[in-house]
mmCIF file of all heavy atoms in Angstrom:
data_model
loop_
_atom_site.group_PDB
_atom_site.id
_atom_site.type_symbol
_atom_site.label_atom_id
_atom_site.label_comp_id
_atom_site.label_asym_id
_atom_site.label_seq_id
_atom_site.Cartn_x
_atom_site.Cartn_y
_atom_site.Cartn_z
ATOM 1 N N TYR A 450 71.480 64.898 20.369
ATOM 2 C CA TYR A 450 72.854 64.992 20.871
ATOM 3 C C TYR A 450 73.827 64.711 19.734
ATOM 4 O O TYR A 450 73.529 63.960 18.796
ATOM 5 C CB TYR A 450 73.090 64.051 22.052
ATOM 6 C CG TYR A 450 72.525 62.660 21.930
ATOM 7 C CD1 TYR A 450 73.313 61.563 21.603
ATOM 8 C CD2 TYR A 450 71.173 62.424 22.197
ATOM 9 C CE1 TYR A 450 72.797 60.292 21.517
ATOM 10 C CE2 TYR A 450 70.639 61.152 22.115
ATOM 11 C CZ TYR A 450 71.452 60.087 21.774
ATOM 12 O OH TYR A 450 70.927 58.813 21.695
ATOM 13 N N GLN A 451 74.996 65.351 19.820
ATOM 14 C CA GLN A 451 76.017 65.172 18.788
ATOM 15 C C GLN A 451 77.398 65.274 19.416
ATOM 16 O O GLN A 451 77.581 65.866 20.485
ATOM 17 C CB GLN A 451 75.872 66.209 17.677
ATOM 18 C CG GLN A 451 76.194 67.628 18.076
ATOM 19 C CD GLN A 451 76.029 68.627 16.926
ATOM 20 O OE1 GLN A 451 75.139 68.500 16.094
ATOM 21 N NE2 GLN A 451 76.885 69.629 16.885
ATOM 22 N N VAL A 452 78.359 64.668 18.732
ATOM 23 C CA VAL A 452 79.765 64.889 19.071
ATOM 24 C C VAL A 452 80.477 65.429 17.844
ATOM 25 O O VAL A 452 80.209 64.999 16.718
ATOM 26 C CB VAL A 452 80.490 63.614 19.563
ATOM 27 C CG1 VAL A 452 80.122 63.279 20.987
ATOM 28 C CG2 VAL A 452 80.249 62.440 18.645
ATOM 29 N N THR A 453 81.354 66.395 18.072
ATOM 30 C CA THR A 453 82.223 66.891 17.011
ATOM 31 C C THR A 453 83.658 66.552 17.374
ATOM 32 O O THR A 453 83.969 66.296 18.541
ATOM 33 C CB THR A 453 82.051 68.405 16.816
ATOM 34 O OG1 THR A 453 82.379 69.082 18.038
ATOM 35 C CG2 THR A 453 80.613 68.727 16.440
ATOM 36 N N ARG A 454 84.537 66.558 16.387
ATOM 37 C CA ARG A 454 85.857 65.981 16.590
ATOM 38 C C ARG A 454 86.736 66.777 17.550
ATOM 39 O O ARG A 454 87.827 66.349 17.904
ATOM 40 C CB ARG A 454 86.557 65.812 15.238
ATOM 41 C CG ARG A 454 87.683 64.781 15.282
ATOM 42 C CD ARG A 454 88.349 64.621 13.929
ATOM 43 N NE ARG A 454 87.450 64.118 12.911
ATOM 44 C CZ ARG A 454 87.185 62.825 12.713
ATOM 45 N NH1 ARG A 454 87.746 61.918 13.482
ATOM 46 N NH2 ARG A 454 86.357 62.454 11.771
ATOM 47 N N GLY A 455 86.293 67.916 18.000
ATOM 48 C CA GLY A 455 87.062 68.703 18.959
ATOM 49 C C GLY A 455 87.332 70.097 18.438
ATOM 50 O O GLY A 455 86.703 70.553 17.473
ATOM 51 N N ASP A 456 88.237 70.786 19.082
ATOM 52 C CA ASP A 456 88.615 72.147 18.705
ATOM 53 C C ASP A 456 89.977 72.151 18.025
ATOM 54 O O ASP A 456 90.809 71.283 18.275
ATOM 55 C CB ASP A 456 88.711 73.051 19.934
ATOM 56 C CG ASP A 456 87.391 73.205 20.655
ATOM 57 O OD1 ASP A 456 86.352 72.891 20.049
ATOM 58 O OD2 ASP A 456 87.407 73.636 21.815
ATOM 59 N N GLY A 457 90.200 73.172 17.216
ATOM 60 C CA GLY A 457 91.523 73.356 16.631
ATOM 61 C C GLY A 457 91.481 74.319 15.472
ATOM 62 O O GLY A 457 90.408 74.563 14.896
ATOM 63 N N PRO A 458 92.627 74.917 15.116
ATOM 64 C CA PRO A 458 92.683 75.772 13.930
ATOM 65 C C PRO A 458 92.207 74.991 12.706
ATOM 66 O O PRO A 458 92.314 73.769 12.654
ATOM 67 C CB PRO A 458 94.170 76.130 13.828
ATOM 68 C CG PRO A 458 94.716 75.905 15.193
ATOM 69 C CD PRO A 458 93.936 74.772 15.769
ATOM 70 N N ARG A 459 91.707 75.704 11.722
ATOM 71 C CA ARG A 459 91.154 75.035 10.551
ATOM 72 C C ARG A 459 92.240 74.254 9.818
ATOM 73 O O ARG A 459 93.169 74.828 9.236
ATOM 74 C CB ARG A 459 90.500 76.034 9.599
ATOM 75 C CG ARG A 459 89.708 75.354 8.482
ATOM 76 C CD ARG A 459 89.102 76.349 7.507
ATOM 77 N NE ARG A 459 88.219 75.685 6.567
ATOM 78 C CZ ARG A 459 88.637 75.003 5.491
ATOM 79 N NH1 ARG A 459 89.941 74.903 5.235
ATOM 80 N NH2 ARG A 459 87.773 74.412 4.692
ATOM 81 N N ALA A 460 92.117 72.932 9.848
ATOM 82 C CA ALA A 460 93.029 72.022 9.146
ATOM 83 C C ALA A 460 92.274 70.729 8.921
ATOM 84 O O ALA A 460 91.532 70.275 9.795
ATOM 85 C CB ALA A 460 94.293 71.773 9.962
ATOM 86 N N HIS A 461 92.452 70.139 7.744
ATOM 87 C CA HIS A 461 91.671 68.950 7.421
ATOM 88 C C HIS A 461 92.055 67.746 8.272
ATOM 89 O O HIS A 461 91.210 66.909 8.568
ATOM 90 C CB HIS A 461 91.822 68.613 5.935
ATOM 91 C CG HIS A 461 91.061 69.549 5.036
ATOM 92 N ND1 HIS A 461 91.447 70.852 4.823
ATOM 93 C CD2 HIS A 461 89.936 69.368 4.305
ATOM 94 C CE1 HIS A 461 90.587 71.433 3.991
ATOM 95 N NE2 HIS A 461 89.660 70.550 3.665
ATOM 96 N N VAL A 462 93.316 67.623 8.657
ATOM 97 C CA VAL A 462 93.737 66.474 9.464
ATOM 98 C C VAL A 462 93.161 66.607 10.870
ATOM 99 O O VAL A 462 92.852 67.703 11.338
ATOM 100 C CB VAL A 462 95.270 66.364 9.518
ATOM 101 C CG1 VAL A 462 95.834 66.086 8.132
ATOM 102 C CG2 VAL A 462 95.902 67.635 10.087
ATOM 103 N N PHE A 463 93.047 65.451 11.551
ATOM 104 C CA PHE A 463 92.395 65.437 12.856
ATOM 105 C C PHE A 463 93.227 66.161 13.910
ATOM 106 O O PHE A 463 94.450 65.977 13.966
ATOM 107 C CB PHE A 463 92.208 63.996 13.362
ATOM 108 C CG PHE A 463 91.387 63.105 12.484
ATOM 109 C CD1 PHE A 463 91.300 61.749 12.768
ATOM 110 C CD2 PHE A 463 90.685 63.584 11.392
ATOM 111 C CE1 PHE A 463 90.543 60.891 11.992
ATOM 112 C CE2 PHE A 463 89.922 62.751 10.597
ATOM 113 C CZ PHE A 463 89.859 61.396 10.898
ATOM 114 N N PRO A 464 92.604 66.905 14.819
ATOM 115 C CA PRO A 464 93.307 67.380 16.016
ATOM 116 C C PRO A 464 93.381 66.251 17.037
ATOM 117 O O PRO A 464 92.633 65.274 16.963
ATOM 118 C CB PRO A 464 92.404 68.508 16.527
ATOM 119 C CG PRO A 464 91.037 68.086 16.096
ATOM 120 C CD PRO A 464 91.210 67.378 14.775
ATOM 121 N N GLU A 465 94.271 66.361 17.992
ATOM 122 C CA GLU A 465 94.352 65.367 19.052
ATOM 123 C C GLU A 465 93.280 65.652 20.099
ATOM 124 O O GLU A 465 92.807 66.768 20.253
ATOM 125 C CB GLU A 465 95.739 65.396 19.710
ATOM 126 C CG GLU A 465 96.860 64.974 18.771
ATOM 127 C CD GLU A 465 98.211 64.942 19.472
ATOM 128 O OE1 GLU A 465 98.245 65.226 20.689
ATOM 129 O OE2 GLU A 465 99.211 64.641 18.815
ATOM 130 N N GLY A 466 92.889 64.609 20.838
ATOM 131 C CA GLY A 466 91.944 64.801 21.924
ATOM 132 C C GLY A 466 90.577 64.224 21.639
ATOM 133 O O GLY A 466 90.271 63.783 20.524
ATOM 134 N N LYS A 467 89.721 64.267 22.665
ATOM 135 C CA LYS A 467 88.382 63.705 22.564
ATOM 136 C C LYS A 467 87.407 64.705 21.956
ATOM 137 O O LYS A 467 87.712 65.880 21.802
ATOM 138 C CB LYS A 467 87.918 63.257 23.940
ATOM 139 C CG LYS A 467 88.718 62.093 24.512
ATOM 140 C CD LYS A 467 88.142 61.610 25.836
ATOM 141 C CE LYS A 467 88.928 60.421 26.376
ATOM 142 N NZ LYS A 467 88.376 59.930 27.667
ATOM 143 N N ALA A 468 86.232 64.188 21.666
ATOM 144 C CA ALA A 468 85.208 64.977 20.991
ATOM 145 C C ALA A 468 84.545 65.973 21.936
ATOM 146 O O ALA A 468 84.605 65.851 23.157
ATOM 147 C CB ALA A 468 84.162 64.043 20.403
ATOM 148 N N ASN A 469 83.874 66.966 21.337
ATOM 149 C CA ASN A 469 82.995 67.876 22.066
ATOM 150 C C ASN A 469 81.578 67.298 22.026
ATOM 151 O O ASN A 469 81.096 66.900 20.968
ATOM 152 C CB ASN A 469 82.980 69.262 21.424
ATOM 153 C CG ASN A 469 84.316 69.967 21.537
ATOM 154 O OD1 ASN A 469 85.016 69.814 22.544
ATOM 155 N ND2 ASN A 469 84.684 70.731 20.521
ATOM 156 N N LEU A 470 80.909 67.290 23.166
ATOM 157 C CA LEU A 470 79.561 66.744 23.268
ATOM 158 C C LEU A 470 78.551 67.877 23.402
ATOM 159 O O LEU A 470 78.681 68.734 24.269
ATOM 160 C CB LEU A 470 79.451 65.810 24.476
ATOM 161 C CG LEU A 470 78.058 65.221 24.749
ATOM 162 C CD1 LEU A 470 77.598 64.337 23.601
ATOM 163 C CD2 LEU A 470 78.062 64.444 26.065
ATOM 164 N N TRP A 471 77.560 67.863 22.515
ATOM 165 C CA TRP A 471 76.449 68.814 22.540
ATOM 166 C C TRP A 471 75.164 68.049 22.828
ATOM 167 O O TRP A 471 74.968 66.939 22.331
ATOM 168 C CB TRP A 471 76.255 69.485 21.185
ATOM 169 C CG TRP A 471 77.423 70.051 20.455
ATOM 170 C CD1 TRP A 471 78.705 69.576 20.398
ATOM 171 C CD2 TRP A 471 77.405 71.202 19.610
ATOM 172 N NE1 TRP A 471 79.475 70.358 19.579
ATOM 173 C CE2 TRP A 471 78.701 71.365 19.079
ATOM 174 C CE3 TRP A 471 76.402 72.109 19.248
ATOM 175 C CZ2 TRP A 471 79.020 72.404 18.208
ATOM 176 C CZ3 TRP A 471 76.722 73.143 18.382
ATOM 177 C CH2 TRP A 471 78.017 73.292 17.874
ATOM 178 N N VAL A 472 74.243 68.647 23.580
ATOM 179 C CA VAL A 472 72.916 68.076 23.802
ATOM 180 C C VAL A 472 71.898 69.208 23.762
ATOM 181 O O VAL A 472 72.157 70.298 24.290
ATOM 182 C CB VAL A 472 72.808 67.343 25.166
ATOM 183 C CG1 VAL A 472 71.434 66.684 25.313
ATOM 184 C CG2 VAL A 472 73.912 66.314 25.341
ATOM 185 N N THR A 473 70.743 68.967 23.150
ATOM 186 C CA THR A 473 69.635 69.916 23.224
ATOM 187 C C THR A 473 68.357 69.165 23.565
ATOM 188 O O THR A 473 68.168 68.007 23.160
ATOM 189 C CB THR A 473 69.425 70.695 21.907
ATOM 190 O OG1 THR A 473 69.034 69.797 20.867
ATOM 191 C CG2 THR A 473 70.694 71.421 21.493
ATOM 192 N N LEU A 474 67.485 69.837 24.295
ATOM 193 C CA LEU A 474 66.179 69.290 24.648
ATOM 194 C C LEU A 474 65.128 70.364 24.437
ATOM 195 O O LEU A 474 65.268 71.487 24.950
ATOM 196 C CB LEU A 474 66.157 68.844 26.114
ATOM 197 C CG LEU A 474 66.748 67.452 26.407
ATOM 198 C CD1 LEU A 474 67.157 67.336 27.859
ATOM 199 C CD2 LEU A 474 65.732 66.380 26.062
ATOM 200 N N VAL A 475 64.097 70.049 23.655
ATOM 201 C CA VAL A 475 63.000 70.991 23.403
ATOM 202 C C VAL A 475 61.677 70.234 23.551
ATOM 203 O O VAL A 475 61.609 69.031 23.303
ATOM 204 C CB VAL A 475 63.096 71.623 22.001
ATOM 205 C CG1 VAL A 475 64.376 72.437 21.859
ATOM 206 C CG2 VAL A 475 63.022 70.556 20.910
ATOM 207 N N PRO A 476 60.607 70.916 23.952
ATOM 208 C CA PRO A 476 59.316 70.246 24.105
ATOM 209 C C PRO A 476 58.801 69.680 22.771
ATOM 210 O O PRO A 476 58.887 70.323 21.739
ATOM 211 C CB PRO A 476 58.396 71.362 24.616
ATOM 212 C CG PRO A 476 59.307 72.363 25.240
ATOM 213 C CD PRO A 476 60.556 72.321 24.405
ATOM 214 N N LYS A 477 58.259 68.481 22.830
ATOM 215 C CA LYS A 477 57.638 67.874 21.645
ATOM 216 C C LYS A 477 56.804 66.682 22.089
ATOM 217 O O LYS A 477 57.240 65.900 22.935
ATOM 218 C CB LYS A 477 58.669 67.412 20.621
ATOM 219 C CG LYS A 477 58.055 66.767 19.370
ATOM 220 C CD LYS A 477 59.098 66.342 18.363
ATOM 221 C CE LYS A 477 58.481 65.571 17.199
ATOM 222 N NZ LYS A 477 57.510 66.378 16.426
#
């Protein structure tokens, strides 16, 4: 699982808002 800082046009400074959450599950 990971979080990224959110969505926004390409700019080095932070966008406002909460992170995007990704999760993956694979057999192992």
Side-chain angles (χ1 to χ4, degrees):
Y450 43 102
Q451 69 180 36
V452 283
T453 60
R454 201 179 297 276
D456 297 343
R459 190 182 187 281
H461 286 72
V462 296
F463 301 172
E465 295 183 1
K467 294 185 178 180
N469 293 325
L470 177 63
W471 312 36
V472 184
T473 65
L474 278 158
V475 298
K477 180 179 174 62

